[in-house]
Coordinates of all heavy atoms in Angstrom, one line a residue:
S179 N 26.6 22.9 18.8 CA 26.5 21.9 19.9 C 25.1 21.8 20.4 O 24.6 20.6 20.6 CB 27.4 22.3 21.1 OG 27.3 21.4 22.1
A180 N 24.3 22.9 20.5 CA 22.9 22.8 20.9 C 22.1 22.0 19.9 O 21.2 21.2 20.2 CB 22.4 24.2 21.1
L181 N 22.4 22.3 18.6 CA 21.6 21.6 17.5 C 21.9 20.1 17.6 O 21.1 19.2 17.5 CB 22.0 22.1 16.2 CG 21.5 21.4 15.0 CD1 20.0 21.5 14.9 CD2 22.1 21.8 13.7
L182 N 23.2 19.7 17.7 CA 23.6 18.3 17.6 C 23.2 17.6 18.9 O 22.9 16.4 18.8 CB 25.2 18.3 17.4 CG 25.6 18.8 16.0 CD1 27.1 19.1 16.0 CD2 25.3 17.8 14.9
E183 N 23.1 18.2 20.0 CA 22.6 17.6 21.2 C 21.1 17.2 21.0 O 20.7 16.2 21.4 CB 22.8 18.5 22.4 CG 22.4 17.9 23.7 CD 22.5 18.8 24.9 OE1 23.0 19.9 24.7 OE2 22.2 18.4 26.0
A184 N 20.4 18.2 20.4 CA 19.0 17.9 20.2 C 18.8 16.8 19.2 O 17.9 15.9 19.3 CB 18.3 19.2 19.6
M185 N 19.7 16.7 18.2 CA 19.7 15.6 17.2 C 19.9 14.2 17.9 O 19.2 13.3 17.6 CB 20.7 15.8 16.2 CG 20.5 16.9 15.2 SD 21.9 17.4 14.3 CE 22.5 15.9 13.6
Q186 N 20.8 14.2 18.8 CA 21.2 12.9 19.5 C 20.1 12.5 20.5 O 19.7 11.4 20.6 CB 22.6 13.1 20.1 CG 23.1 11.8 20.8 CD 23.4 10.7 19.8 OE1 23.5 11.0 18.6 NE2 23.4 9.5 20.2
E187 N 19.8 13.5 21.4 CA 18.9 13.2 22.5 C 17.4 13.3 22.3 O 16.6 12.8 23.0 CB 19.3 14.1 23.7 CG 20.8 14.2 24.1 CD 21.3 12.8 24.5 OE1 20.5 12.0 25.0 OE2 22.5 12.6 24.4
K188 N 17.1 13.9 21.2 CA 15.7 14.2 20.8 C 14.9 14.9 21.9 O 13.7 14.7 22.1 CB 14.9 12.8 20.5 CG 15.6 12.0 19.4 CD 15.4 12.6 18.1 CE 15.7 11.6 17.0 NZ 17.1 11.1 17.0
Q189 N 15.7 15.7 22.6 CA 15.1 16.6 23.7 C 16.0 17.8 23.9 O 17.1 17.8 23.6 CB 14.9 15.8 25.0 CG 16.2 15.3 25.6 CD 16.0 14.4 26.8 OE1 15.0 13.7 26.9 NE2 17.0 14.5 27.7
V190 N 15.4 18.8 24.6 CA 16.2 20.0 24.9 C 15.8 20.4 26.4 O 14.7 20.1 26.8 CB 16.0 21.2 24.0 CG1 16.4 20.8 22.6 CG2 14.5 21.6 24.0
T191 N 16.7 21.1 27.0 CA 16.5 21.6 28.4 C 16.4 23.1 28.3 O 17.3 23.8 27.9 CB 17.6 21.1 29.3 OG1 17.6 19.7 29.3 CG2 17.3 21.6 30.7
I192 N 15.3 23.6 28.8 CA 15.1 25.1 29.0 C 14.8 25.4 30.4 O 13.8 24.9 31.0 CB 13.9 25.6 28.1 CG1 14.2 25.2 26.6 CG2 13.8 27.1 28.2 CD1 13.0 25.5 25.7
G193 N 15.7 26.1 31.0 CA 15.6 26.3 32.5 C 15.8 25.0 33.2 O 16.8 24.4 33.0
D194 N 14.9 24.7 34.1 CA 15.0 23.4 34.8 C 14.2 22.3 34.2 O 14.2 21.2 34.7 CB 14.5 23.6 36.3 CG 15.4 24.6 37.0 OD1 16.6 24.7 36.7 OD2 14.8 25.3 37.9
E195 N 13.5 22.5 33.1 CA 12.6 21.6 32.5 C 13.2 21.0 31.2 O 13.9 21.7 30.4 CB 11.3 22.2 32.2 CG 10.5 22.6 33.4 CD 10.0 21.4 34.2 OE1 9.7 20.4 33.6 OE2 9.9 21.6 35.5
T196 N 13.0 19.7 31.0 CA 13.4 19.0 29.8 C 12.2 18.7 29.0 O 11.1 18.2 29.4 CB 14.1 17.7 30.1 OG1 15.3 17.9 30.9 CG2 14.5 16.9 28.9
Y197 N 12.3 19.1 27.7 CA 11.1 19.0 26.8 C 11.5 18.0 25.6 O 12.5 18.1 25.0 CB 10.7 20.3 26.2 CG 10.3 21.3 27.2 CD1 11.3 22.2 27.8 CD2 9.0 21.5 27.6 CE1 10.9 23.1 28.8 CE2 8.6 22.4 28.6 CZ 9.6 23.2 29.2 OH 9.2 24.1 30.1
L198 N 10.6 17.0 25.4 CA 10.8 16.1 24.3 C 10.5 16.9 22.9 O 9.5 17.7 22.9 CB 9.9 14.9 24.4 CG 10.2 14.0 25.6 CD1 9.1 12.9 25.6 CD2 11.6 13.4 25.5
L199 N 11.2 16.6 21.9 CA 11.0 17.2 20.6 C 9.9 16.4 19.9 O 9.6 15.3 20.2 CB 12.3 17.2 19.8 CG 13.4 18.0 20.3 CD1 14.7 17.8 19.6 CD2 13.1 19.5 20.3
D200 N 9.3 17.1 18.9 CA 8.2 16.5 18.2 C 8.7 15.3 17.4 O 9.9 15.2 17.0 CB 7.6 17.5 17.2 CG 7.0 18.7 17.9 OD1 6.7 18.6 19.0 OD2 6.8 19.8 17.2
R201 N 7.8 14.3 17.1 CA 8.2 13.1 16.3 C 7.3 13.1 15.1 O 6.1 13.4 15.2 CB 8.0 11.9 17.2 CG 8.9 11.8 18.3 CD 8.7 10.5 19.1 NE 9.1 9.3 18.3 CZ 8.3 8.3 18.0 NH1 7.0 8.3 18.5 NH2 8.6 7.3 17.3
P202 N 7.8 12.7 14.0 CA 9.2 12.5 13.7 C 10.0 13.8 13.8 O 9.5 14.9 13.6 CB 9.2 11.9 12.3 CG 8.0 12.5 11.6 CD 7.0 12.6 12.7
F203 N 11.3 13.6 14.0 CA 12.2 14.8 14.1 C 13.5 14.5 13.3 O 14.2 13.5 13.6 CB 12.6 15.0 15.6 CG 13.7 16.1 15.7 CD1 13.3 17.4 15.5 CD2 15.0 15.8 16.1 CE1 14.3 18.5 15.7 CE2 15.9 16.8 16.2 CZ 15.6 18.1 16.0
V204 N 13.7 15.3 12.2 CA 14.8 15.1 11.3 C 15.4 16.4 11.1 O 14.7 17.4 10.7 CB 14.3 14.4 10.0 CG1 15.5 14.3 9.1 CG2 13.8 13.0 10.2
V205 N 16.7 16.5 11.2 CA 17.5 17.7 10.9 C 18.2 17.5 9.5 O 18.9 16.5 9.3 CB 18.6 18.0 11.9 CG1 19.5 19.1 11.5 CG2 17.9 18.3 13.3
L206 N 18.0 18.4 8.6 CA 18.6 18.5 7.3 C 19.4 19.7 7.3 O 18.9 20.8 7.2 CB 17.6 18.4 6.2 CG 16.5 17.3 6.3 CD1 15.4 17.5 5.3 CD2 17.2 15.9 6.2
A207 N 20.7 19.6 7.4 CA 21.6 20.7 7.4 C 22.3 20.9 6.1 O 22.7 20.0 5.4 CB 22.7 20.5 8.6
T208 N 22.6 22.2 5.8 CA 23.3 22.5 4.5 C 24.6 23.2 4.9 O 24.7 23.9 5.9 CB 22.5 23.3 3.6 OG1 22.4 24.7 4.1 CG2 21.1 22.7 3.3
Q209 N 25.6 23.0 4.0 CA 26.8 23.8 4.1 C 27.4 24.1 2.7 O 27.3 23.3 1.8 CB 27.9 23.2 5.0 CG 28.4 21.8 4.6 CD 29.4 21.3 5.7 OE1 29.6 21.8 6.8 NE2 30.1 20.3 5.3
N210 N 27.9 25.3 2.6 CA 28.5 25.7 1.3 C 30.0 25.3 1.2 O 30.7 25.8 2.0 CB 28.3 27.2 1.2 CG 28.8 27.8 -0.1 OD1 29.4 27.1 -0.9 ND2 28.6 29.1 -0.3
P211 N 30.4 24.5 0.3 CA 31.7 24.1 0.2 C 32.7 25.1 -0.4 O 33.9 24.9 -0.4 CB 31.7 22.8 -0.7 CG 30.5 23.1 -1.6 CD 29.5 23.9 -0.8
V212 N 32.1 26.1 -1.0 CA 33.0 27.1 -1.7 C 33.4 28.2 -0.8 O 34.6 28.5 -0.7 CB 32.2 27.7 -2.9 CG1 33.0 28.7 -3.7 CG2 31.8 26.6 -3.9
E213 N 32.5 28.9 -0.2 CA 32.9 30.1 0.6 C 33.1 29.7 2.1 O 32.2 29.3 2.8 CB 31.7 31.0 0.6 CG 32.0 32.4 1.1 CD 30.8 33.4 1.0 OE1 29.8 33.0 0.4 OE2 30.9 34.5 1.6
Q214 N 34.4 29.7 2.5 CA 34.8 29.3 3.8 C 35.1 30.4 4.7 O 35.4 30.2 5.9 CB 36.0 28.3 3.7 CG 35.7 27.0 2.9 CD 34.6 26.2 3.6 OE1 34.4 26.2 4.8 NE2 33.8 25.6 2.7
E215 N 35.2 31.6 4.2 CA 35.5 32.8 5.1 C 34.4 33.0 6.1 O 33.2 33.1 5.8 CB 35.7 34.0 4.2 CG 36.2 35.2 5.0 CD 36.4 36.4 4.2 OE1 36.5 36.3 2.9 OE2 36.6 37.5 4.7
G216 N 34.7 33.1 7.4 CA 33.7 33.4 8.4 C 32.9 32.1 8.8 O 31.8 32.3 9.2
T217 N 33.4 30.9 8.6 CA 32.7 29.7 8.9 C 33.4 29.0 10.1 O 34.6 29.2 10.4 CB 32.6 28.8 7.7 OG1 33.9 28.4 7.3 CG2 31.9 29.4 6.5

Side-chain angles (χ1 to χ4, degrees):
S179 179
L181 172 68
L182 294 163
E183 183 181 359
M185 288 165 53
Q186 182 68 20
E187 307 298 334
K188 303 291 194 300
Q189 63 184 30
V190 297
T191 300
I192 304 173
D194 296 329
E195 293 291 327
T196 298
Y197 299 90
L198 295 176
L199 295 173
D200 297 341
R201 294 181 66 239
F203 174 73
V204 176
V205 172
L206 308 171
T208 72
Q209 59 181 15
N210 180 356
V212 177
E213 191 179 354
Q214 297 301 325
E215 185 176 347
T217 62

